Each structure stands twice: as structure tokens, then as C-alpha cells.
Amino acid sequence: MSGEDVRDLQRSLTALGFHTAVRGKFDTLTAKQVRALQRSAKRRATGVVDGGTARFIANVLAAEGTGGIVAQLPDSGGRGGAGQGDSAPADAGPQPLAPGSRARLTSDGLAQAPADAPAEVQAIIAAGNKIAHLPYRYGGGHGSFNDSAYDCSGSVSFGLHGAGLLRSPEDSTGLESFGSDGAGQWVTIYANSGHTFMVVAGLRFDTSGASQTGSRWQRAQRSSSGYTVRHPDGL
């Protein structure tokens, strides 16, 4: 496995004292440090970042300064995500519709849904606006749709859930089989084992690049090489 999620995992491991090079490839050293973290957390030392391990990492990082890894924060056994007490994403408020069939990006990094788009597309954009400025966190948005930070697949899952198209969060591998094959007219999802993003009515919704723009919504497109291309049925 390789990609942005692995780089974020490696940064997280290093921040917790389990140092590894941030290269974006799940190499032998990364697996060794994952096992070391799992032993410290009194988890089974498999070297595999399953949902429970991802959730534990996310919770410990959120609790840094209040006991660190020895705090042994509780783990629900889910696939990463929210810690206890996380609040729902803030409602960004309704955005006026943009004329035509393409979404527009506002100066504050939110998306205006196109007036000609189906209701589901407008709902995806409204959901995306709720989390557009929230931080990235590995495993974020997987234990619950309501979280304080979201990773790439958690972000895409949240948008799709907002339109009633997804009942529970999916990781990037799961999104490789979501919906129908190929690009959609309104919504296209790009997924592989390391990353996922989507393009909605012409705007890219992607955690990659958000550190530069401050928003998951971005005008600039990116290469789709190496990604499985899917779309919601009918969109």
C-alpha cells in the first residue's frame, strides 16, 4: 500500500514516538513500528493497520498532552474515526445555486451547486461544504459520519452519505467497487488502495491539496492514473 494515507500514518507514528521515514510506502520499518505501537497499546501486534488500530492512533493524537499513548484510550473496534465527545460538523449554511451545470468555488472555499444539477448532486455539495475546512486525520470519519477531522475516504463517504447514497463509511479500497464503472455525468469517484477523491459538477473534492487551498473543494484537477473510476448510479 502506498499514497497519502500511508504518509499520514507515518507522520502519526513519528509524532507518537515510533519513528519512520515519511515516504508514502508501507515498508518493513513502518510495519515494525506499527507492531511496536500495537504492543504498547496492548493490542495484537499484527503490523496491520486495521480499523481498531487506526481509531486508536486517531484518538491518541487527539488526546496528546493529556496522557499520550499510555492513556490507553478506548477503542470501539470500528474502522477508525471519531473519539468520544466529537461533535457533528458545523452547518456551512445554504449556498446560492450557480447558474448552469457546473459548480462554482466561492472566495471562502465553499462550493455553489449548479442549478441544473439533480437534487442528489446538490446534497453532496451541501454535505461537502460542512467539512470543507475541517482538518485531515487518518481514520477520521470512519467510526462515525460525525467527526472533527476526516481522511480522504472519510471525506468522500461523508459527501455521498449526505445525498443518501452511502449508509456507512467506506475506506478507499471499498470505494473502488462503489456504484457503477466509469466516469459519471455529475459525480466521478477516483479510488485506489492509497487514496480517493471525487469530482462533483466540475469541482474536485479532495484532501490532497487542501493544505495549500484551505479547502477540500478545489478547481484544479489531478491525474487519474492508477485510480479505479466509479460513479453513483444515475449520476
Side-chain angles (χ1 to χ4, degrees):
M1 184 176 178
S2 61
E4 187 62 31
D5 279 358
V6 176
R7 281 189 287 272
D8 192 73
L9 168 65
Q10 290 166 333
R11 294 186 193 101
S12 297
L13 288 169
T14 298
L16 294 174
F18 300 91
H19 298 278
T20 184
V22 182
R23 295 174 179 162
K25 182 178 180 180
F26 198 96
D27 53 17
T28 302
L29 177 59
T30 302
K32 176 182 177 181
Q33 296 295 56
V34 168
R35 287 193 294 271
L37 178 141
Q38 289 169 329
R39 284 192 292 270
S40 296
K42 294 182 171 61
R43 304 182 65 89
R44 191 159 62 95
T46 62
V48 175
V49 185
D50 57 8
T53 300
R55 180 179 175 83
F56 180 83
I57 292 171
N59 283 341
V60 172
L61 286 172
E64 276 298 285
T66 60
I69 198 162
V70 298
Q72 298 296 310
L73 294 175
D75 169 38
S76 70
R79 288 192 336 206
Q84 294 179 355
D86 285 332
S87 58
D91 193 336
Q95 292 290 314
L97 297 179
S101 60
R102 292 183 66 84
R104 294 184 180 180
L105 190 64
T106 67
S107 59
D108 56 358
L110 300 180
Q112 289 182 326
D116 294 347
E120 294 91 341
V121 175
Q122 295 179 7
I124 290 173
I125 291 175
N129 282 340
K130 292 182 179 181
I131 65 170
H133 298 295
L134 291 182
Y136 178 100
R137 186 179 71 220
Y138 185 80
H142 287 284
S144 168
F145 278 117
N146 292 331
D147 208 339
S148 57
Y150 293 79
D151 67 8
C152 61
S153 53
S155 300
V156 172
S157 293
F158 187 88
L160 295 173
H161 176 69
L165 301 175
L166 199 62
R167 299 182 68 178
S168 60
E170 292 281 357
D171 60 19
S172 57
T173 301
L175 288 168
E176 289 184 87
S177 58
F178 173 81
S180 299
D181 186 42
Q185 177 183 356
W186 293 98
V187 181
T188 302
I189 298 161
Y190 300 87
N192 59 30
S193 61
H195 188 58
T196 187
F197 64 97
M198 64 180 170
V199 175
V200 185
L203 288 182
R204 179 163 61 104
F205 189 68
D206 191 353
T207 55
S208 177
S211 60
Q212 285 76 45
T213 66
S215 173
R216 284 168 168 77
W217 291 114
Q218 297 151 50
R219 293 189 185 92
Q221 301 302 313
R222 57 178 291 172
S223 172
S224 61
S225 177
Y227 288 88
T228 298
V229 182
R230 310 288 294 182
H231 69 275
D233 295 334
L235 299 177

